[in-house]
Amino acid sequence: MARARTGVRALGALLAVVLGAASLAGCSSTGGKRAEDARKAQAAAGKAAVTTPRWTFAMVTHSGDGDTFWDIVQKGAEEAAAKDNINFIYSKNDEAQQQAQLVQTAIDKKVDGLIVTLAKPDAMKAVVRKAVDAGIPVVTVNSGSEQSKAYGALTHIGQDETVAGEAVGDELNARGKKKAVCVLHEQGNVGHEQRCAGAKKTFDGDLRNLYVDGTNMPDVQASIEAKLQTDRSIDAVVTLGAPFADTAVKAKESAGSKAEIVTFDLNAKVASALKSGTLGFAVDQQPYLQGYEAVDLLWLYRYNADVLGGGRPVLTGPQIITKTDAAALEDYTRRGTR
């Protein structure tokens, strides 16, 4: 298990090296600074960095209202779209049938590229296949890596949710935890189930799932609080999204529990809580990168028939973020890119 945990952190380090190398290659010496200044000036003026046609790309996600994770995904996509001279359309709905209808709307508009999440893949299969059959290149992002290729998508961008869950189990072991609760806030989301199942697989202690209504934060807090009051032996609570971490902390305080709260995903509040020690650790899958690369890969496909990944998912995580890492990332979370 220690080897698996090291491997996950190595992946995070590798991603950092790759991205760092790309930055150095594009921004070396004083010439790099001039290029960066020019890029910023272009962005401020709303000018694209390329002269390709103004294609239209649509992104349709399963996000609900107020989810900061998807704000970061959208920001990444919008910034890549500005660079690539793309007319970018974003829509969302956390109800699978409504999300499928939004994809159909994008098909009817004859968009030049489509980015879609597959949190509930069975409901999305037919409409994604319809887009592919209509000649619209599709990239799946965040959820649905197992179904992406079968549905006809060019590639998938995100993290392997099972591997991410396994990383959580390993980290809980390293912290000496014995009994944990995994809080699922969206029933039917296959990625969430995979996260908890992965954590259960590698965790040496006892891990149980707790299903809550993620659309009702008072209910989420009450459910976690009741669980912690009922079972004082619980020493860890795992939430599956950054907005739920803060709610879990409030539930812990109300219950008078000593359980450590940990979470998937990162935002400004999570970074601050990690820095203060209120949260134990977070699993970052770099949502900005998911949005940015999805648009960029569609542009590359339209421009040069390039497909990254060789048929395999393009991984953006997982990376374990602790108190030590939080300070270095805090500025990025404040600007909404981590």
Side-chain angles (χ1 to χ4, degrees):
M1 292 180 188
R3 190 181 299 113
R5 180 166 172 259
T6 302
V8 170
R9 286 189 165 165
L11 172 59
L14 177 59
L15 285 167
V17 170
V18 171
L19 293 174
S23 297
L24 288 171
C27 300
S28 59
S29 189
T30 57
K33 185 179 186 305
R34 285 195 296 269
E36 177 64 10
D37 289 344
R39 185 197 66 78
K40 288 179 180 178
Q42 277 188 324
K47 294 180 180 178
V50 298
T51 58
T52 47
R54 189 163 175 77
W55 293 308
T56 295
F57 295 167
M59 174 182 275
V60 184
T61 75
H62 64 279
S63 170
D65 293 332
D67 192 332
T68 55
F69 177 92
W70 291 105
D71 293 340
I72 300 171
V73 174
Q74 185 178 350
K75 186 177 182 67
E78 288 173 343
E79 294 194 356
K83 172 182 69 72
D84 292 339
N85 193 32
I86 299 300
N87 176 36
F88 179 70
I89 303 170
Y90 180 80
S91 59
K92 62 182 175 62
N93 200 296
D94 55 3
E95 293 293 333
Q97 295 303 325
Q98 295 301 316
Q99 185 193 3
Q101 184 54 53
L102 290 172
V103 173
Q104 180 61 57
T105 299
I107 295 171
D108 294 341
K109 289 180 178 178
K110 298 181 180 180
V111 296
D112 301 297
L114 178 65
I115 303 159
V116 63
T117 61
L118 301 177
K120 297 172 182 175
D122 290 344
M124 301 297 293
K125 181 178 181 179
V127 75
V128 171
R129 289 295 319 179
K130 190 172 182 179
V132 173
D133 291 343
I136 300 172
V138 177
V139 168
T140 60
V141 65
N142 179 258
S143 53
S145 60
E146 293 82 2
Q147 295 82 12
S148 178
K149 188 174 182 180
Y151 289 10
L154 298 175
T155 192
H156 177 82
I157 303 171
Q159 71 180 2
D160 184 306
E161 301 293 14
T162 299
V163 172
E166 290 172 356
V168 169
D170 288 336
E171 187 69 23
L172 292 175
N173 290 335
R175 291 166 181 259
K177 304 304 179 183
K178 302 300 181 185
K179 194 167 189 177
V181 172
C182 193
V183 182
L184 296 99
H185 61 266
E186 185 181 341
Q187 293 194 41
N189 185 318
V190 293
H192 290 183
E193 295 285 351
Q194 288 167 344
R195 289 177 180 182
C196 291
K200 186 178 181 67
K201 179 180 177 182
T202 56
F203 184 42
D204 293 336
D206 179 23
L207 184 144
R208 305 288 177 90
N209 289 351
L210 175 64
Y211 292 90
V212 299
D213 178 5
T215 65
N216 185 339
M217 277 300 189
D219 177 72
V220 173
Q221 181 173 336
S223 297
I224 297 173
E225 184 179 337
K227 190 70 175 177
L228 293 175
Q229 287 176 333
T230 303
D231 189 347
R232 294 289 177 178
S233 65
I234 294 172
D235 55 12
V237 175
V238 182
T239 64
L240 302 185
F244 300 91
D246 186 53
T247 300
V249 169
K250 293 174 183 175
K252 165 190 171 177
E253 293 170 351
S254 296
S257 170
K258 295 182 179 180
E260 184 173 45
I261 310 300
V262 305
T263 191
F264 281 80
D265 303 330
L266 189 68
N267 64 12
K269 277 190 174 182
V270 168
S272 178
L274 288 170
K275 190 176 177 181
S276 69
T278 305
L279 292 179
F281 66 89
V283 184
D284 185 23
Q285 59 175 307
Q286 301 185 103
Y288 177 89
L289 194 58
Q290 291 179 12
Y292 191 97
E293 288 303 316
V295 169
D296 227 21
L297 292 187
L298 279 177
W299 177 84
L300 283 166
Y301 182 78
R302 298 289 317 195
Y303 173 64
N304 204 45
D306 288 320
V307 179
L308 192 64
R312 295 179 180 273
V314 178
L315 299 180
T316 63
Q319 183 179 12
I320 297 292
I321 305 295
T322 65
K323 181 176 183 177
T324 305
D325 309 307
L329 297 176
E330 202 167 22
D331 286 345
Y332 304 132
T333 62
R334 287 197 191 103
R335 76 180 185 191
T337 59
R338 286 296 292 264

